[in-house]
Amino acid sequence: MKKALITGITGQDGYYLSKLLLENGYEVHGTVRRASLINTFRIDELISNYRNGELTLHYSDLLDSASLSSLINIIQPDEIYNLAAQSHVSVSFKNPVYTTQVGTLGSVSILEAIRSKDKVIKFYQASSSEMYGGSSKEKLNESSPFNPKSPYAASKVFAHDITKIYRDSYDLFCVNGILFNHESPMRGETFVTRKITRAVGRIKMGIQKKVTLGNLDASRDWGFAGDYVEGMWMMLQHENPSDWVLATGESITVKSFAEKAFEYVDLNYEEYVESSEKYFRPNEVDFLLGDSSKAKKELGWKPKTSIDELIKIMVDEDIKLANREKVLIDENLLKPTWENPSS
Ligand code: NAP
Ligand code: GDD
């Protein structure tokens, strides 16, 4: 039985990746941050389905290199997936030092632990299309230049480079997955796709009136997170370590995503979507479009879910959630607080 250690197991990708690995017979270990409230809601279903030692959670933080090193010693994993990050680009402008510390220290701490203890452990770094900066309309691949435009993206460039440096200098099996945006019903609610689909569900149920977004003209290459975690796993099964782009090869604007999501429930987005400077960024990544032909050729990976299917999956789930919220509101057990989100 293979053992995997996942940092950031409580996040969107942590859920889909741990599910995939558990279904494939892995023993999965994940790091969780201590918080005043329990923050495992995404993986609660897995915790309850895998109670016989298949899934174990450990308190840790990417800023605590001693805890990471000790976990690697104790668990002796075959594979480590470094998914943890302060992953919100807009928040990274507000918390630049913290975002940089988490984004940079985590990767080098884990790589250093692998180098000094067990060089056979395979390492996956969650790199990002944000590193490209989005100034070109060209399809971006593994050779395209980076031009980071946020503290988040700059920290990801460091982690990407240090992963390559450890691969080249110490012959470690370390890979960078340069993933373009990927979404799901597990997506954090302040990322734009989920902010839109949550609003669609609530507006349809009559418990929200409008949604206020930022730059509607930004364009992204959006895929389904469930497809992308398969690519992460495939990278660590490949014969040789390298860097791979995962993307759909299609880019649409935020406006177009909103239009499609509202249209799916027979509503006209123009009546419900507003734009405010409040959600604009100091430095915007205008356009991202990826070319994942290397992953297709070498890993046999390709996205399975179209943008329309992704929107359907997300809106369907968010209508169910809004339905449950409506029942609670009607019974005076819940107060709506979603009209003015912070990001
Ligand atoms: P996410 O939902 O925001 O999850 C981030 C995870 O990191 C959460 O488990 C979070 O824990 C954890 N975390 C945050 N700060 C931490 C710290 N200081 N120490 C330990 N854990 C910490 O992000 P995601 O969408 O799953 O993305 C996974 C990774 O891929 C991230 O590194 C992200 O930057 C990168 N990425 C994402 C995309 C995308 O489109 N989703 C694209 C490219 C790259 P809490 O639950 O306690 O907050
Ligand atoms: N969050 C947010 N909220 N974004 C908005 C809004 C809004 O109300 N209105 C417009 N946008 C625009 C942003 O300005 C950006 O251009 C685009 O929508 C996407 O924003 P996010 O959903 O926050 O994602 P992101 O592209 O900045 O970052 C995500 O993808 C990266 C990969 O390219 C995150 O998951 C990163 O962690 C990831 O690396």
Side-chain angles (χ1 to χ4, degrees):
M1 184 191 278
K2 274 195 188 171
K3 284 192 237 174
L5 171 61
I6 304 175
T7 71
I9 196 169
T10 56
Q12 170 188 258
D13 291 2
Y15 163 73
Y16 285 104
L17 179 64
S18 49
K19 185 165 185 287
L20 175 80
L21 297 180
L22 287 162
E23 285 168 358
N24 281 287
Y26 273 69
E27 180 181 310
V28 173
H29 295 259
T31 66
V32 292
R33 297 192 288 171
R34 193 271 159 185
S36 64
L37 291 172
I38 291 172
N39 57 357
T40 55
F41 74 92
R42 286 192 179 96
I43 52 168
D44 281 348
E45 166 210 321
L46 300 176
I47 294 171
S48 116
N49 289 348
Y50 294 95
R51 293 158 184 254
N52 298 314
E54 304 98 324
L55 173 60
T56 311
L57 301 180
H58 308 264
Y59 281 117
S60 185
D61 192 299
L62 282 198
L63 299 181
D64 185 344
S65 59
S67 81
L68 292 168
S69 171
S70 136
L71 277 181
I72 292 169
N73 252 346
I74 295 164
I75 298 164
Q76 300 193 328
D78 300 283
E79 298 169 4
I80 300 179
Y81 296 86
N82 185 30
L83 306 187
Q86 188 303 92
S87 73
H88 203 286
V89 174
S90 186
V91 173
S92 83
F93 286 101
K94 291 162 191 152
N95 294 181
V97 176
Y98 174 70
T99 303
T100 304
Q101 285 172 331
V102 176
T104 57
L105 281 179
S107 52
V108 70
S109 301
I110 298 171
L111 287 163
E112 207 23 41
I114 296 175
R115 183 194 68 76
S116 62
K117 295 192 175 86
D118 186 354
K119 288 177 80 171
V120 202
I121 299 173
K122 294 181 175 180
F123 175 77
Y124 173 89
Q125 171 58 27
S127 276
S128 165
S129 50
E130 275 293 303
M131 301 187 302
Y132 295 117
S135 352
S136 142
K137 295 258 163 164
E138 305 280 299
K139 276 196 173 185
L140 300 158
N141 64 25
E142 296 77 6
S143 315
S144 306
F146 297 147
N147 178 21
K149 285 193 173 165
S150 63
Y152 167 80
S155 78
K156 286 287 181 187
V157 172
F158 171 85
H160 182 94
D161 286 343
I162 199 76
T163 299
K164 278 169 84 167
I165 289 167
Y166 270 65
R167 180 165 79 215
D168 297 340
S169 311
Y170 303 120
D171 200 22
L172 302 188
F173 196 109
C174 327
V175 313
N176 286 301
I178 309 172
L179 272 50
F180 282 64
N181 298 50
H182 45 279
E183 319 293 310
S184 74
M186 291 288 175
R187 187 57 145 154
E189 296 191 13
T190 59
F191 295 96
V192 76
T193 57
R194 190 78 199 291
K195 192 168 159 185
I196 293 168
T197 61
R198 272 306 246 148
V200 168
R202 285 168 173 156
I203 288 168
K204 189 71 185 168
M205 285 298 133
I207 56 173
Q208 182 170 343
K209 291 190 174 61
K210 298 252 180 210
V211 60
T212 309
L213 305 174
N215 178 10
L216 301 181
D217 296 323
S219 191
R220 290 289 182 277
D221 181 329
W222 278 297
F224 172 54
D227 296 344
Y228 285 53
V229 300
E230 287 180 16
M232 294 178 187
W233 176 80
M234 286 170 166
M235 290 178 205
L236 290 195
Q237 315 315 309
H238 194 256
E239 204 178 332
N240 300 309
S242 186
D243 304 325
W244 287 277
V245 161
L246 301 186
T248 69
E250 280 180 36
S251 186
I252 66 165
T253 60
V254 171
K255 192 191 287 168
S256 193
F257 188 100
E259 187 174 7
K260 283 170 179 283
F262 278 91
E263 206 171 77
Y264 176 62
V265 295
D266 298 322
L267 296 175
N268 177 0
Y269 84 101
E270 285 177 339
E271 290 172 33
Y272 304 99
V273 174
E274 297 172 337
S275 169
S276 160
E277 288 287 325
K278 177 179 169 189
Y279 299 114
F280 277 62
R281 295 169 182 186
N283 201 0
E284 176 65 291
V285 171
D286 294 311
F287 184 89
L288 288 175
L289 174 63
D291 169 9
S292 55
S293 43
K294 181 180 174 199
K296 187 174 180 198
K297 184 163 169 250
E298 296 182 358
L299 307 174
W301 181 87
K302 60 176 195 286
K304 298 176 194 151
T305 314
S306 70
I307 186 74
D308 290 339
E309 285 162 345
L310 173 65
I311 289 171
K312 179 178 171 345
I313 293 168
M314 292 177 71
V315 172
D316 283 347
E317 282 307 309
D318 282 336
I319 284 186
K320 283 188 216 153
L321 265 182
N323 215 341
R324 291 205 285 276
E325 286 170 342
K326 184 172 170 15
V327 171
L328 293 175
I329 290 170
D330 290 348
E331 290 176 8
N332 226 355
L333 294 168
L334 180 69
K335 298 258 176 269
T337 55
W338 41 78
E339 293 288 352
N340 194 18
S342 60
S343 47

